[in-house]
Amino acid sequence: MFNQDTICALATAQGIGAIGVIRVSGPETFPIVNRIFKGKNLEKQLSHTIHFGTIRDNQTIIDEVLVSLFKAPSSYTREDTIEISCHGSDFIIQKILKLILREGARLANPGEFTQRAFLNGQLDLAQAEAVADLIASDSEASHQTAINQIRGGFSKQIAQLREALIHFASLIELELDFGEEDVEFADRDDLRQLIFKIQKVLIPLIDSFEMGNVIKNGVPTVIAGKPNAGKSTLLNRLLNEEKAIVSDIAGTTRDVIEDELFIEGIRFRLIDTAGLRKTTDTIEAIGVERTLQQMDKASLIVYLFDASEIQLTEIAQQITEFNAPYILVGNKVDKLSADKKSAFDTTYPDILWISASENKNIDTLKDTLVRKVKTREIKSGDTVVTNLRHYQHLLQTNGALENVLEGLAQSVTGDFLAQDIRFALHHLGEITGQITTDDLLANIFSKFCIGK
Ligand SMILES: Nc1nc2c(ncn2[C@@H]2O[C@H](COP(=O)(O)OP(=O)(O)OP(=O)(O)O)[C@@H](O)[C@H]2O)c(=O)[nH]1
Ligand SMILES: [Mg+2]
């Protein structure tokens, strides 16, 4: 336990609410709150109990409150902590905070409660960062990844890998102690096997970063196709608003139009684009150029064609160069003859037939969008890396392990192996906070809101 100031802050949101919760944490918490609380003597009460009473400034009653008591180490920060639930008026909250400050506490810095939880060993760094993600999560999927991380799934895996590697590192260091003598305590084959095992965990984590990002920031989903295919109509239909201009003039949309849509808790960033064609119109040509850029960056492409116009042979020419997963969608099925449809279906059984203007099969399209994201093997409960800092350290770790493998292949001496293993250990340790610098901590916790 560190010797710390006693800190306080409003833990609930600023502004008027039914109640506000003020959190106080640190060694002087109980005496400080006891001096302004009238009811029971709080210093004599058990941990994890709640008490009714009043907060007073000398004889003046400020508010009737409930105080919840948590004694070290059984609290979020692992320090003595009291949470005062008062009425949610700015005036009352400010008044109570001032009293607490007057009695010797100081205002908490952003994230300081969580920082203490970390420093006192309640959370590791990856978990503490997940607390920030949890507070910020605004979709079901991002909530799920954050809560998994707080519960330690991610950290546990990393810590286990690190331990196994430390074992080898110490054997190799021991060899170095023997200097000239030709001894090998660390079996090279076992080491190679261990590295393969570690990479089996590491590489999916690295790969999950893309997915983690998608969950946090949305799936960039580009609606592309020839002019007049009905892309803007589809965008409007999905969003349920007249976001983009629709007309029967080919080349109506010339710029990128973007909006968000949540389907089953997943955030899709829908991007309507200029229809793809060769054009002499300068502005439209820039629009087409932008479409190509968007398709390049997309995680998912909805490729739309006008079913009433297109010939069977044209499809193959149009869908050749996508470098993202795509859904092939035939629009204007209302204008399509049964014969033509069945000819298409034989060659392209995956085509999804819709009518954007008549609202046909739009729900199936939504289901397909969700399925495309989910089949990337992300089940809830899986570990997903969402944090850039973690991702970078995972990459560095993997690079170092590759070097160890290469060193083993070339039968380099123990000191070179030891160096690469230490490097890998260092980066794994940075993820969970077993190795930290003050700058890093300050940077992470400054992103929290005050009171957390
Ligand atoms: N019959 C029928 N017409 C449709 C359907 N969807 C769109 N349209 C019509 O097709 C025309 C073109 O629609 P848009 O949504 O502007 O097409 P776009 O792909 O955005 O075209 P550009 O912006 O020029 O690339 C409009 O007249 C729409 O009303 C449909 O499902 N059935
Ligand atoms: Mg359009």
Side-chain angles (χ1 to χ4, degrees), residues 2 43-44 53 72 76 79 87 95 101 138 141 175 221 263 296 311 375 424 450:
F2 293 71
E43 298 196 67
K44 297 212 168 117
Y76 180 61
E79 303 171 333
H87 291 98
K95 196 94 187 169
L101 296 180
D138 55 3
E175 287 175 13
T221 306
I263 315 173
D296 216 38
Q311 300 305 317
T375 48
I450 292 186

Side-chain angles (χ1 to χ4, degrees), residues 141-173:
S142 65
H143 168 260
Q144 197 60 47
T145 47
I147 201 96
N148 281 343
Q149 203 162 314
I150 290 175
R151 295 181 62 81
F154 178 80
S155 313
K156 226 182 290 157
Q157 271 174 304
I158 298 286
Q160 278 168 0
L161 296 178
R162 201 165 169 266
E163 233 157 77
L165 251 191
I166 285 174
H167 172 70
F168 264 96
S170 56
L171 288 179
I172 289 183
E173 307 271 350

Side-chain angles (χ1 to χ4, degrees), residues 297-358:
K297 288 191 293 186
S299 288
L300 196 53
I301 293 172
V302 174
Y303 192 82
L304 204 64
F305 60 85
D306 180 340
S308 63
E309 294 265 325
I310 200 166
Q311 300 305 317
L312 189 54
T313 47
E314 291 173 68
I315 290 195
Q317 299 159 7
Q318 292 187 19
I319 59 174
T320 42
E321 282 159 31
F322 300 161
N323 53 14
Y326 64 92
I327 305 171
L328 201 52
V329 179
N331 188 32
K332 310 195 190 180
V333 70
D334 53 295
K335 287 192 355 196
L336 184 65
S337 72
D339 282 356
K340 195 169 169 194
K341 181 166 179 293
S342 72
F344 272 93
D345 278 338
T346 331
T347 321
Y348 295 101
D350 286 339
I351 292 179
L352 181 65
W353 299 103
I354 66 163
S355 169
S357 62
E358 308 212 335

Side-chain angles (χ1 to χ4, degrees), residues 258-272:
E258 181 173 337
D259 209 337
E260 274 183 6
L261 177 69
F262 282 91
I263 315 173
E264 289 185 31
I266 298 169
R267 184 204 310 258
F268 288 90
R269 281 174 38 219
L270 296 179
I271 301 161
D272 179 24

Side-chain angles (χ1 to χ4, degrees), residues 225-234 245-254 272-277 284 304 306 331-335 354-359:
K226 296 268 174 223
N228 262 351
K231 300 179 293 299
S232 301
T233 312
L234 177 62
I245 301 173
V246 165
S247 88
D248 56 5
I249 302 166
T252 304
T253 308
R254 294 171 160 219
D272 179 24
T273 57
L276 293 163
R277 68 167 169 185
E284 194 187 346
L304 204 64
D306 180 340
N331 188 32
K332 310 195 190 180
V333 70
D334 53 295
K335 287 192 355 196
I354 66 163
S355 169
S357 62
E358 308 212 335
N359 201 7

Side-chain angles (χ1 to χ4, degrees), residues 8-10 20-24 32-33 36-37 54-57 61-67 84-103 105 107:
C8 64
L10 177 65
V21 176
I22 292 169
R23 203 183 237 175
V24 190
I32 286 175
V33 178
I36 59 169
F37 178 82
T54 53
I55 296 287
R56 297 182 182 221
D57 182 2
I61 296 178
I62 307 298
D63 197 9
E64 293 188 332
V65 299
L66 286 175
V67 291
I84 304 171
S85 305
C86 59
H87 291 98
S89 106
D90 276 342
F91 175 77
I92 291 175
I93 289 163
Q94 292 310 323
K95 196 94 187 169
I96 297 177
L97 278 173
K98 270 187 201 151
L99 286 176
I100 298 170
L101 296 180
R102 188 186 73 195
E103 293 301 327
L107 273 184

